Amino acid sequence: AVSSNAHNAKMIANRACDFSPPLSTASPSGAFATVTIPNFYFFSPSLNPNIIPHLPIIRHRSSSSRRLLRRLSFSRNETQSFPQPFTANSASHRTRTFVEHVAGTKESPNQTIEVYDFGDLESARNDLRNVATRRVETDVEVREIEDLPEEWRRSKLAWLCKEVPSHKAVTLVRLLNAQKKWVRQEDATYICVHCTRIRENETGFRVYRWMTQQNWYRFDFGLATKLADFLGKERKFTKCREVFDDIMNQGRVPSESTFHILVVAYLSSSEEGCFQEACSVYNRMIQLGGYRPRLSLHNSLFRALVSKQGGPSSDDVRQAEFIFHNVVTTGLEVQKDIYSGLIWLHSCQDEVDIERINYLREEMRKAGFEESNEVVVSLLRAYAKEGGVEEVERTWLELLGLDCGIPSQAFVYKMEAYAKVGDFARALKIFREMDKHLGGATVSGYHKIIEVVCKINQVELAESLLEEFLETGKKQLLPSYIEIVKMYFDLGLHEKLEKAFVECLEKCQPNQTIYNIYLESLVNIGNLEKAGDVFDEMKNNGTINVNASSCNTVLKGYLDSGNHAKAKKIYELMSLKKYEVESPLMEKLDYILSLVRKEVKKPLSMKLSKEQREVLVGLLLGGLRVESDKERKSHKIMFEFRGKSQARLILRQHIHDQFREWLPHSEDEDIPLEFSSISHSCFGFYADNFWPNGRPEIPKLIHRWLSPQSLAYWYMYSGYRTSSGDVILRLKGSVEGIEKVVKALRAKSMECRVKKKGNVFWIGLQGTNSGLFWKLIEPHVLENMKDHLRPAYEAVDHDRD
């Protein structure tokens, strides 16, 4: 075996394109020696795919030191086998193995077995034990604890192996981080291997992930392969994919078993997107790895493709063709259901490839398979889409000749074929034949005949068919209602349309399509008020919601009626959702958008009035915020009113009116609790003095700006009167800033007390001081707020007067 491996290494070394670093070096003590042959990997498609891409590590050990290394057994029931060369007979051998698995018994080589099943995931899983025989795996070898020379390392490693599986992810990382001083890659590898031995594969993955983040870590292909395989077998496809990607990022090609297990893990999950990932890994397995998957994997992936929910797309057809191509080119047996499924996928496309379908039928005939009922129905669907009445009638006779019963879908396809050529009477006659063959029309039959009748605008006939459909008590009425509503819209029958819309809401779940038709009808008749209500209902209902079509419909109505304000709101919503505005409407929007741009530029030439400046000082002392851009060239004021009392409502309305020209234009009559000004350089003075570093500060010259009006707005915005009738003012800033404010109040003959609570200071004016404060600010307090803010001392004096 050693000479054979050396011969292979010599052959591959001539064409090597990269070398991986040796996995181990010789021990200086001479107890054992390891000779590592580098791994070679190729990406050129011209190389022979039968060449084994990875070579085993060949180890020469002295007889006295062989006990130092023991091969890790990852599964108690796992048996070692020598790799078998891939030959032309391997495909037939794998096919017989799959047939024996499905049939349950071994058959003689001369006996023909016909299998009408794709195989399933279970067969793919069972084949995993044979995948390893297709290539030579890189071994993972670790020292046992008792073979380590240092006693302290043995005890610590044994303690870690005991502790690690019993902790959760965060605690585990902390535990390993605490051992960074002595843990080496060999130690971490042993811990990871120990976790896989005791079937704690997820814990082993966490240890592996911690290893990869250390500066001493060197990639270990064998460890990564085994760990990915174990995680995939437990259907933990997310973690398996992470290890898989680690291998790929190292420029290495994962082993065939890793590819196989990851595909099966993805197929075993019902989560969204897993099937697409399974196809992606399968494609890379063949195109990048050059592997030849077993028949069960092809069949499992094909079955998942055919049985996936939703109509098959063109991408599904391409993937199915790729699977079919790989099965054929590798000499595997193409089963009957593979042909049937591929024909079905082609027949479901909007543009049917009849030539490809006929080729597949011919291949089926050569393989000795008879066309089943499903194949004939697929042919009927394909011919009906092209309007080939003659082919449809011929296929219909073939379906009758199978004597397997006529599926309800066959009637639907036949009706569609005659509807395409304009023979609607014949389509209606076929619909009535469903009573004879099936004992009554099906739901799909009603959907198709109502669609056919509505296209020729037969109002009375369509209404009678819908009434007949309702009397059957069958569900899924929505498609028929949509066709009826479309017909009413085309004929301009708005009253009937509205009646059908209301009736549909009573019997079916809300649907965006029928809402859009009703919305467009309202806009066409000029009922914009009701159209706006329906649009708001759609926008607020998560099961319906709006789309680009509904937005364009309402936008057209507002533009045509000259309601520019509402048109602007719809345009802003479309911009937010990134919906495209129809080109005719965009031309009409130019005028409105130009007005909006002028409106934004208008405040740039304005200046704050003296009253506005004093109001801002008082509000900023009370906690008003200023936001600046990164370069601090433009700033905006953030007005916030937390309370919902009557006094807060009065102040909010007053401030909104006082700074109206500095606020963005809005048609909303309700004033929100929070609103902001436009960005402007005029607010730079307040940003530099009150919010210099994005935090509230008290300016050094605050004593110059504490005018009676500023104090009044400070009190109205963040002050209040206590139950005892004193005045309390709220203030944020540094201790030095608070001292400046206190000195400024004392300069106005008002003594005050300061109390700190958290990062907020409270300045209290009690007794006569509150009266002096009120006498100073009263002329600037809003009339409707005086009763809420007047201190008790002033009230007593007022009564005496």
Side-chain angles (χ1 to χ4, degrees):
V2 172
S3 62
S4 176
N5 289 331
H7 177 68
N8 291 337
K10 184 176 180 181
M11 293 176 60
I12 297 177
N14 296 329
R15 304 167 76 174
C17 61
D18 195 6
F19 301 90
S20 65
L23 298 180
S24 60
T25 57
S27 173
S29 62
F32 65 93
T34 301
V35 179
T36 302
I37 297 180
N39 291 334
F40 309 98
Y41 41 93
F42 312 95
F43 297 97
S44 173
S46 61
L47 298 179
N48 188 348
N50 296 334
I51 296 179
I52 300 172
H54 299 288
L55 293 176
I57 299 175
I58 304 175
R59 296 173 173 82
H60 301 278
R61 304 184 183 90
S62 60
S63 58
S64 61
S65 62
R66 287 178 183 174
R67 63 181 180 84
L68 296 179
L69 288 178
R70 299 179 182 177
R71 175 164 298 178
L72 173 65
S73 176
F74 285 87
S75 175
R76 296 179 181 178
N77 299 326
E78 184 179 357
T79 58
Q80 300 292 334
S81 59
F82 292 97
Q84 299 176 358
F86 186 86
T87 63
N89 296 328
S90 298
S92 60
H93 172 72
R94 289 195 303 276
T95 303
R96 290 196 302 273
T97 304
F98 174 74
V99 171
E100 292 168 4
H101 171 75
V102 175
T105 57
K106 292 187 177 181
E107 302 290 344
S108 60
N110 297 327
Q111 183 176 355
T112 301
I113 299 178
E114 186 172 271
V115 182
Y116 295 93
D117 192 10
F118 290 125
D120 52 18
L121 289 178
E122 191 60 36
S123 63
R125 294 168 187 151
N126 292 337
D127 286 336
L128 294 178
R129 66 179 185 273
N130 299 321
V131 172
T133 64
R134 295 278 307 279
R135 52 170 289 129
V136 178
E137 300 289 350
T138 304
D139 296 329
V140 181
E141 296 191 359
V142 294
R143 287 184 177 185
E144 297 295 342
I145 291 182
E146 60 269 18
D147 294 331
L148 296 175
E150 304 96 336
E151 182 178 354
W152 64 270
R153 186 179 296 277
R154 292 198 297 268
S155 60
K156 284 191 173 185
L157 198 57
W159 173 77
L160 272 180
C161 289
K162 180 181 178 182
E163 290 293 324
V164 163
S166 61
H167 293 291
K168 295 183 179 180
V170 178
T171 310
L172 184 147
V173 172
R174 292 176 181 173
L175 182 66
L176 293 175
N177 286 336
Q179 317 301 321
K180 275 186 178 181
K181 292 183 178 180
W182 65 271
V183 171
R184 304 172 301 184
Q185 178 156 347
E186 294 178 2
D187 303 321
T189 301
Y190 181 85
I191 298 172
C192 184
V193 165
H194 170 76
C195 293
T196 58
R197 280 175 171 173
I198 62 175
R199 299 298 185 267
E200 292 286 345
N201 296 321
E202 192 165 353
T203 304
F205 169 78
R206 292 171 184 157
V207 176
Y208 166 81
R209 184 53 65 206
W210 179 84
M211 288 174 59
T212 60
Q213 299 171 357
Q214 309 308 311
N215 54 9
W216 41 254
Y217 174 73
R218 296 178 64 188
F219 178 72
D220 189 337
F221 178 80
L223 178 64
T225 298
K226 292 298 182 184
L227 186 60
D229 290 356
F230 277 118
L231 291 169
K233 288 177 182 178
E234 290 186 352
R235 305 297 167 255
K236 296 176 180 177
F237 54 85
T238 302
K239 294 180 174 61
C240 178
R241 183 58 183 266
E242 287 188 32
V243 183
F244 177 89
D245 291 338
D246 287 345
I247 299 174
M248 297 292 295
N249 293 336
Q250 290 291 327
R252 306 289 295 272
V253 179
S255 66
E256 185 176 357
S257 64
T258 306
F259 276 108
H260 191 117
I261 292 172
L262 185 55
V263 173
V264 174
Y266 275 129
L267 292 179
S268 301
S269 174
S270 59
E271 292 185 17
E272 184 179 358
C274 283
F275 173 75
Q276 288 75 13
E277 291 296 333
C279 293
S280 175
V281 175
Y282 170 85
N283 295 343
R284 295 168 77 177
M285 178 181 185
I286 295 170
Q287 296 169 346
L288 180 62
Y291 299 120
R292 299 184 177 184
R294 300 184 63 81
L295 180 61
S296 63
L297 189 65
H298 296 295
N299 291 336
S300 296
L301 189 62
F302 195 91
R303 163 174 283 182
L305 179 64
V306 172
S307 60
K308 63 177 288 193
Q309 295 181 352
S313 63
S314 57
D315 293 335
D316 295 334
V317 174
R318 284 193 289 269
Q319 183 65 49
E321 288 284 5
F322 183 67
I323 298 172
F324 177 78
H325 170 76
N326 290 317
V327 173
V328 172
T329 55
T330 53
L332 299 175
E333 178 187 4
V334 183
Q335 300 175 12
K336 179 180 180 180
D337 289 342
I338 294 286
Y339 288 113
S340 302
L342 197 52
I343 292 173
W344 176 79
L345 288 171
H346 276 286
S347 68
C348 292
Q349 301 304 301
D350 294 333
E351 296 182 2
V352 182
D353 190 350
I354 295 295
E355 293 183 2
R356 179 61 180 168
I357 291 177
N358 291 332
Y359 172 79
L360 293 172
R361 294 177 64 193
E362 182 64 21
E363 291 296 314
M364 282 187 68
R365 187 188 62 79
K366 291 180 180 179
F369 297 131
E370 295 183 359
E371 292 182 351
S372 62
N373 190 25
E374 292 78 9
V375 174
V376 178
V377 173
S378 298
L379 292 175
L380 197 63
R381 180 195 294 112
Y383 292 137
K385 287 186 175 182
E386 292 191 339
V389 176
E390 295 181 0
E391 291 82 358
V392 166
E393 289 291 350
R394 187 176 66 252
T395 308
W396 181 267
L397 294 177
E398 292 181 15
L399 189 60
L400 293 176
L402 293 177
D403 198 19
C404 298
I406 303 177
S408 60
Q409 288 297 323
F411 289 93
V412 176
Y413 302 144
K414 194 174 181 182
M415 282 190 286
E416 182 179 359
Y418 280 98
K420 281 186 176 294
V421 298
D423 194 347
F424 302 103
R426 177 63 175 163
L428 182 60
K429 183 179 179 181
I430 296 170
F431 172 75
R432 294 305 179 189
E433 290 178 358
M434 297 182 75
D435 292 332
K436 176 182 176 182
H437 292 84
L438 304 177
T442 61
V443 172
S444 57
Y446 275 110
H447 289 168
K448 177 56 66 175
I449 193 59
I450 292 176
E451 176 188 348
V452 169
V453 173
C454 287
K455 285 183 178 180
I456 58 175
N457 297 329
Q458 294 290 328
V459 178
E460 295 181 359
L461 181 57
E463 290 174 346
S464 64
L465 288 170
L466 180 62
E467 187 67 25
E468 179 183 335
F469 190 12
L470 293 173
E471 291 176 357
T472 61
K474 299 180 184 296
K475 303 299 182 181
Q476 299 179 358
L477 303 169
L478 183 61
S480 295
Y481 270 111
I482 291 177
E483 294 298 330
I484 291 283
V485 169
K486 283 181 180 178
M487 178 185 65
Y488 288 151
F489 180 81
D490 294 336
L491 297 176
L493 303 175
H494 174 73
E495 293 183 359
K496 288 192 172 185
L497 188 152
E498 187 170 21
K499 181 180 178 182
F501 172 76
V502 174
E503 187 178 336
C504 177
L505 295 184
E506 295 175 354
K507 301 180 181 300
C508 309
Q509 291 292 331
N511 178 265
Q512 188 183 81
T513 302
I514 198 166
Y515 262 91
N516 281 340
I517 300 171
Y518 180 55
L519 185 66
E520 189 173 359
S521 176
L522 290 173
V523 171
N524 286 353
I525 65 175
N527 193 347
L528 295 180
E529 183 178 356
K530 193 168 186 178
D533 294 339
V534 172
F535 183 82
D536 292 338
E537 181 183 351
M538 295 173 65
K539 184 174 62 174
N540 297 329
N541 192 332
T543 59
I544 307 172
N545 218 327
V546 297
N547 59 2
S549 175
S550 51
C551 289
N552 278 292
T553 298
V554 176
L555 180 62
K556 179 180 180 300
Y558 288 145
L559 289 175
D560 291 343
S561 63
N563 195 337
H564 294 169
K566 291 189 176 181
K568 177 192 168 188
K569 292 180 67 175
I570 298 297
Y571 174 71
E572 291 173 352
L573 175 64
M574 296 181 70
S575 300
L576 181 65
K577 292 181 174 292
K578 297 182 179 180
Y579 291 153
E580 184 178 356
V581 180
E582 296 176 358
S583 54
L585 301 180
M586 200 65 208
E587 296 175 0
K588 297 180 181 180
L589 275 171
D590 287 341
Y591 174 70
I592 300 176
L593 296 177
S594 63
L595 292 180
V596 173
R597 286 189 289 269
K598 290 178 182 179
E599 185 178 345
V600 173
K601 293 180 181 179
K602 183 179 179 181
L604 295 177
S605 60
M606 297 178 61
K607 292 184 179 180
L608 289 166
S609 65
K610 181 178 182 298
E611 183 180 3
Q612 288 173 332
R613 291 197 298 269
E614 292 186 356
V615 169
L616 281 178
V617 170
L619 296 178
L620 287 166
L621 285 173
L624 203 68
R625 292 190 299 113
V626 182
E627 288 190 358
S628 307
D629 57 16
K630 293 182 179 180
E631 298 179 356
R632 295 188 66 82
K633 292 183 178 180
S634 186
H635 319 269
K636 60 182 178 180
I637 307 296
M638 310 298 295
F639 297 95
E640 299 176 355
F641 298 86
R642 300 293 184 186
K644 295 184 179 180
S645 63
Q646 184 65 24
R648 293 290 179 181
L649 175 61
I650 295 171
L651 181 63
R652 184 168 78 246
Q653 292 175 341
H654 172 74
I655 295 298
H656 191 276
D657 292 337
Q658 196 168 29
F659 290 89
R660 181 175 294 275
E661 70 270 21
W662 294 96
L663 303 179
H665 179 70
S666 175
E667 295 293 332
D668 194 356
E669 297 180 358
D670 296 331
I671 302 174
L673 294 177
E674 299 180 8
F675 54 90
S676 63
S677 69
I678 61 172
S679 295
H680 201 283
S681 59
C682 281
F683 301 124
F685 169 81
Y686 304 96
D688 295 337
N689 286 278
F690 290 89
W691 287 78
N693 300 311
R695 295 179 179 179
E697 293 289 344
I698 298 175
K700 295 180 180 180
L701 302 177
I702 187 62
H703 59 282
R704 295 184 181 179
W705 305 329
L706 279 181
S707 66
Q709 189 169 9
S710 298
L711 290 172
Y713 278 90
W714 180 15
Y715 184 32
M716 287 189 290
Y717 185 64
S718 66
Y720 66 94
R721 183 184 62 186
T722 65
S723 59
S724 59
D726 298 327
V727 172
I728 302 294
L729 299 171
R730 181 177 180 272
L731 185 63
K732 278 188 177 182
S734 62
V735 177
E736 294 79 7
I738 301 298
E739 290 177 353
K740 292 184 176 69
V741 174
V742 171
K743 288 180 180 180
L745 293 174
R746 286 176 179 173
K748 299 179 185 297
S749 303
M750 290 179 287
E751 291 293 333
C752 57
R753 299 181 62 182
V754 180
K755 183 177 181 180
K756 185 179 181 182
K757 187 176 182 180
N759 61 346
V760 177
F761 291 89
W762 296 95
I763 298 177
L765 296 160
Q766 299 174 314
T768 57
N769 293 302
S770 64
L772 292 173
F773 178 77
W774 179 255
K775 185 177 180 179
L776 180 66
I777 67 171
E778 183 182 9
H780 307 285
V781 176
L782 299 179
E783 193 66 32
N784 294 332
M785 295 185 66
K786 288 183 178 181
D787 293 338
H788 299 280
L789 300 176
R790 181 180 285 112
Y793 186 84
E794 196 277 338
V796 172
D797 290 345
H798 182 74
D799 293 337
R800 288 177 181 176
D801 294 341

